[in-house]
Each structure stands twice: as C-alpha cells, then as structure tokens.
Amino acid sequence: MFESLAEKLEGIFKKLKGRGILDEESVNVALKEIRMALLEADVNFKVVKDFIEDVRGRAVGKDVLESITPGQQVVKIVHDRLVELMGSQSAHIKFGSRIPAPIMLIGLQGCGKTTTAAKLARLLAKEKRVYLVSADVYRPAAMEQLAVLGRQISAGVYNAGDLRDPVRICVQAMEQAKKEGYEVVLIDTAGRLHIDEPLMDELKRIKEKVNPAEILYVADAMTGQDAVNVGARFNEQIGIDGVIMTKMDGDARGGAALSLKAVVGKPIKFVGVGEKIDTLEVFHPERMANRILGMGDILSLVEKAQATIDEKTARQMQESLRKNEFTLEDFRNQLKQIKKMGSLKDMIGMIPGMGKLKALKEMQPDEKELVKITAIIDSMTRKERNNYLIIDGRRRKRIALGSGTTVQDVNRLLKNYIEIRKMMKKINSKGGVKSFMRNFPF
Ligand SMILES: Nc1nc2c(ncn2[C@@H]2O[C@H](COP(=O)(O)OP(=O)(O)OP(=O)(O)O)[C@@H](O)[C@H]2O)c(=O)[nH]1
Ligand SMILES: [Mg+2]
C-alpha cells in the first residue's frame, strides 16, 4: 500500500530539491503533480483540493522562497499536512467508566469485523479481561468462527446457546460478562452487502440497549472511496467513534486511509495488516506520513532498535561517533546488534536514504555475509581494528588467511567500512538526526 504514491511523490520532490531557489512557477508545477498523484491514489477529490490549496498557502509564502533548502521545506509542509489529514495523533479507545465497557464493531460484509474483533481482543487482553460476543445470527458459521479465534487468545467467548435475537444476545452477554468479571466486551456484528434499513435498525437497537463506550467502524481499505462513503453513512445514522482500517497489507492505493478522517471526521485508530491474529497495529498518522513520503519509518525503527540494542553498547557507539571515530571494533559491535534485530534488509528499508546506499547493498548483508565480516574483523589485531589505515597488503593477506576468506573479501569489507564511516561522519555532523542516532547509532 502507498508504494505507488510514495514513488511518485519521491520523484516530484527530487526535482524540487535539485533547485537552488524555488519560484512560484516551480511550486505550482510540483503542486499540480502532487494533486495528480493523490487523485491517482484514490484520495477523495475534495480532500485533494483542500490539501493542495492549503499546501500552496503555506508553500508560496516568503519563508519558503527565501529558505536555503526550499525543496526540503515544501516536503516538510506536505508532510505536516499529511499528518494533519490523518488526524495528527494516535487516537486510543476510550473505555469510559462503566465496567464492563462494551465496544461495538460495525461494517459491511467481509470487511474483516470478526477477524478484527479477535485481533483487538488479543491486543486489549494484555491489559484487560476481554469477552467476545458474536451478534451475527445470520451467517451459519459466524459464531463458531469467533469462538475458534477466541480460543487462540486469552479472551472469553460468550455462548449464545439457542438465542437468535442479536439484541438479546448482546444484553445477555453483558450480564454474563459482568458476572464473570470481564472488563471489556467486544461485540462483533453481522455484515450486509450494502447499508440497508434492517441492518441500520438492528445496529441502532443494539446501541440503545448496550450503550457502547465506543462504536468502531471496520473499513476495508481495498474498497477505496466506497469505504469512506459507507463510513459517512454509518456515522450519520449510528454514530461512530473511530475507524479500524483492514487489509492495509493489500495493494489498495491508500486513498481511503488518507480521506477518511477529513470526510467522516473520525480518526483511524487501528490498522489491520494481515490475516493472522497478531496483525493489528495502532495507527500513527506521523509514521504513516513518513512512510508515504519515503522518509522511512524512523520511529518504528527506533522502537525496534531500542528494544534490542543494549544500552551500554549503544552508549559506547554514540561516544565514538561523537568523537568521529567509528573504528572497525565499533563496526563489529554494530553488526552484532543488527544480527539481534533480525532482518537487515527490513531495517535498512526503514532508514531514510539507506535503502539506496551502495555500500550496504553491495555488501548484501545476509546471515552468511555477517558471519564472514565478523570473522574478518575478529582476525585483526586490536591495533588494526582501531586504526584501519595501518592494514597494508601484508596484513590483509594474514587477515584473510586467519579468517578463512580471501584478500578480495578483506578489501571489500574495508572499502565498505570506509564508505559507511564517511557517511556516518556526515550524518553525525548534521544536527537534525542526532536524536535518531542516539537511539540507533548506525
Ligand atoms: N490480508 C488481510 N486480510 C484480512 C484482514 N482482515 C481481515 N481479513 C480477511 O478478510 C476476510 C473476511 O474477514 P471476516 O473477519 O470474516 O469479515 P467480516 O466483516 O466478519 O465478514 P462478515 O461477518 O461476513 O460480514 C477473511 O478472509 C480475513 O482473513 C487484513 O487486515 N488483511
Ligand atoms: Mg463476521
């Protein structure tokens, strides 16, 4: 998702960034292209119109035209505007003060309500006692589907027995949940092909009886602007508190995710990114905007790095970076950390600009390569590790022999190391990425 939009925007920004000075003309050309790119990504046309006008208003101001890097400034404006468009901050579920707190999921047929109910239950079950209830009395195996999913996680599942009235099922389930000490009741409702009177009526009646703390509209990202329009209808007639956008892992163009907040006025709270039960994520507008603009998902990366890099090594690394050293010893430590973090390719993809870095690509740092690199560095003396300049031809031969590799391998490693070192110095001298480096001193 968003790949094609991201690609187009990247091209547009590249042209902008290449210019020393931005005149109104080139801003206009860029805005026209951005407009096209958004429309092609299936963003609601009215949303696009407002978006472009707003960016224009901010972009043709004196600040941008006189700025040293005007192209970057425009990227920043577009970025900020995208974040706002998606709701600025992550919106969380409000449980209210009643216990148990009923949460109701609504949406069209096949949008992913039942799957999402189980995924959400799994997330919430980390902090609360969660009870799952199926109010779908129409589809034959609907209740069984939820029960099967519920068994995979630590959530209770209400057994409706012979009850066939959705409203009564919900009311009884609430009573049962209270008796058994559950804190949250997730109500999965039946879907319809289209919004119709009986469906709305049923949902309204459930809402009246249960008085949910939140009603979440489950939207299928693959259905594009339909998902937005249906969301608006649900909001008018039932009233929704937020959206869960499913199937974000598919090849939807992303327009629905970008339009929903602006059109319906309710934030996306979670996104579904797969069929498995652990594929529900809290929605972060900022991160999504970064992803769309190809700026890399730095925050997710930092979070991941924080969880794996051990503090001490990180501090040492930061220290040597500060002193502009970054020796081969540091390089080896860095590689060890990377190994702990899992797939290097994934990580690199998340770092802005890194995906394209030749040295890293050439190195093709798969598991085997990492072992080799580590072996080569291990075969060096401490002195060599601390000052690569002394590693001459004779030493290279010795290191190759000692590590069971070839002189070419050693040469390649040193070449890549030097390139990475250069780049790190550059990054380090730029203030803006300091905070990032603190957490992930690559
Ligand atoms: N790839 C992907 N598939 C999803 C996601 N969420 C749900 N699905 C799939 O979408 C299909 C429909 O999901 P359900 O949860 O049964 O949808 P529903 O809204 O409960 O459907 P009805 O009860 O018939 O209205 C299933 O095959 C799910 O595996 C997602 O985030 N990504
Ligand atoms: Mg269902």
Side-chain angles (χ1 to χ4, degrees):
M1 187 134 145
F2 290 129
E3 281 92 2
S4 142
L5 176 62
E7 217 168 84
K8 281 192 197 117
L9 290 177
E10 196 183 349
I12 297 167
F13 292 147
K14 215 171 176 178
K15 275 189 268 172
L16 271 185
K17 280 183 194 161
R19 290 168 174 265
I21 302 168
L22 267 198
D23 48 51
E24 220 165 307
E25 171 68 22
S26 45
V27 171
N28 279 337
V29 171
L31 285 178
K32 218 180 242 170
E33 288 175 353
I34 295 172
R35 182 172 167 274
M36 275 312 292
L38 289 172
L39 286 174
E40 278 168 27
D42 189 32
V43 180
N44 175 291
F45 75 95
K46 173 129 194 343
V47 173
V48 174
K49 190 161 167 278
D50 292 348
F51 185 92
I52 296 295
E53 282 320 308
D54 200 54
V55 172
R56 189 193 311 278
R58 298 189 206 182
V60 294
K62 249 169 53 194
D63 292 356
V64 174
L65 298 179
E66 284 172 10
S67 150
I68 315 157
T69 55
Q72 252 147 3
Q73 196 114 344
V74 174
V75 178
K76 169 105 180 44
I77 293 169
V78 172
H79 172 266
D80 292 351
R81 195 60 194 86
L82 271 178
V83 175
E84 284 169 31
L85 190 60
M86 290 184 284
S88 296
Q89 295 191 340
S90 307
H92 300 290
I93 289 189
K94 295 185 187 72
F95 295 102
S97 51
R98 261 177 315 141
I99 296 175
I103 311 275
M104 193 173 160
L105 299 184
I106 63 176
L108 292 187
Q109 204 167 79
C111 64
K113 290 177 298 299
T114 307
T115 316
T116 303
K119 288 180 182 179
L120 188 58
R122 181 183 165 275
L123 275 192
L124 299 179
K126 288 176 184 155
E127 281 163 22
K128 297 186 184 291
R129 298 198 62 218
V130 184
Y131 204 40
L132 282 164
V133 182
S134 171
D136 185 350
V137 295
Y138 307 100
R139 203 156 58 76
M143 294 193 173
E144 183 54 22
Q145 182 192 2
L146 191 67
V148 169
L149 288 167
R151 259 179 246 132
Q152 295 178 28
I153 49 180
S154 49
V157 182
Y158 176 67
N159 183 349
D162 293 330
L163 283 179
R164 277 289 162 266
D165 172 22
V167 183
R168 282 196 56 200
I169 288 176
C170 292
V171 171
Q172 301 238 341
M174 283 301 291
E175 279 168 17
Q176 191 66 24
K178 197 169 201 167
K179 248 187 253 163
E180 297 187 27
Y182 286 101
E183 293 158 292
V184 179
V185 176
L186 284 181
I187 301 172
D188 172 29
T189 59
R192 294 280 204 289
L193 277 175
H194 308 282
I195 287 191
D196 57 22
E197 273 306 309
L199 167 69
M200 286 298 184
D201 190 52
E202 180 179 306
L203 294 175
K204 272 182 205 157
R205 280 189 294 131
I206 296 178
K207 180 186 171 182
E208 260 162 39
K209 287 282 185 211
V210 172
N211 187 18
E214 289 232 329
I215 298 179
L216 298 171
Y217 164 57
V218 180
D220 178 345
M222 304 293 286
T223 60
Q225 287 307 307
D226 282 347
V228 179
N229 297 333
V230 169
R233 295 273 309 277
F234 272 124
N235 191 39
E236 280 158 25
Q237 303 204 20
I238 314 280
I240 63 172
D241 300 287
V243 180
I244 300 181
M245 183 137 287
T246 62
K247 308 187 195 179
M248 293 280 280
D249 52 316
D251 53 8
R253 287 170 291 167
L258 283 174
S259 317
L260 242 157
K261 174 72 174 34
V263 175
V264 185
K266 296 293 154 71
I268 299 177
K269 298 197 171 187
F270 297 92
V271 289
V273 292
E275 297 195 42
K276 296 220 182 77
I277 200 140
D278 60 351
T279 53
L280 190 72
E281 296 174 357
V282 174
F283 180 69
H284 299 286
E286 170 97 35
R287 297 185 195 183
M288 197 52 81
N290 289 346
R291 224 176 257 185
I292 294 170
L293 294 179
M295 293 161 92
D297 196 349
I298 298 183
L299 283 172
S300 300
L301 178 71
V302 168
E303 259 174 23
K304 201 169 173 195
Q306 268 173 339
T308 34
I309 286 188
D310 64 88
E311 279 275 323
K312 203 169 136 245
T313 321
R315 250 199 311 277
Q316 278 169 0
M317 207 81 72
Q318 196 190 332
E319 183 61 17
S320 65
L321 266 177
R322 203 178 52 75
K323 289 190 282 184
N324 264 349
E325 272 169 2
F326 195 68
T327 62
L328 280 156
E329 185 92 43
D330 297 325
F331 187 41
R332 185 176 57 172
N333 283 337
Q334 192 76 32
L335 290 173
K336 274 191 196 144
Q337 298 292 345
I338 285 170
K339 236 157 117 186
K340 266 197 244 170
M341 275 189 265
S343 161
L344 187 54
K345 268 211 195 104
D346 288 356
M347 303 293 294
I348 291 173
M350 284 196 266
I351 312 172
M354 285 286 194
K356 293 184 201 100
L357 194 75
K358 218 173 104 241
L360 283 173
K361 242 192 202 152
E362 205 176 285
M363 221 161 73
Q364 286 186 340
D366 54 19
E367 191 70 11
K368 250 167 63 196
E369 192 73 13
L370 283 181
V371 172
K372 203 155 148 188
I373 294 169
T374 313
I376 294 175
I377 302 180
D378 280 343
S379 292
M380 296 174 182
T381 64
R382 178 172 282 271
K383 223 168 134 194
E384 286 165 345
R385 281 200 286 270
N386 285 328
N387 180 13
Y388 72 98
L389 291 170
I390 62 165
I391 309 179
D392 55 13
R394 205 168 42 91
R395 285 175 190 262
R396 287 180 197 212
K397 227 180 260 168
R398 195 209 73 235
I399 292 165
L401 213 64
S403 56
T405 60
T406 64
V407 174
Q408 282 90 332
D409 286 332
V410 179
N411 287 343
R412 194 152 47 98
L413 165 80
L414 286 172
K415 199 175 128 242
N416 286 332
Y417 159 70
I418 291 166
E419 201 174 313
I420 288 170
R421 191 170 184 272
K422 245 193 276 170
M423 188 200 62
M424 303 235 322
K425 274 191 179 174
K426 225 185 329 184
I427 292 178
N428 202 34
S429 62
K430 282 189 207 155
V433 277
K434 278 262 168 61
S435 62
F436 170 48
M437 301 297 283
R438 248 200 305 282
N439 295 300
F440 185 67
F442 195 98

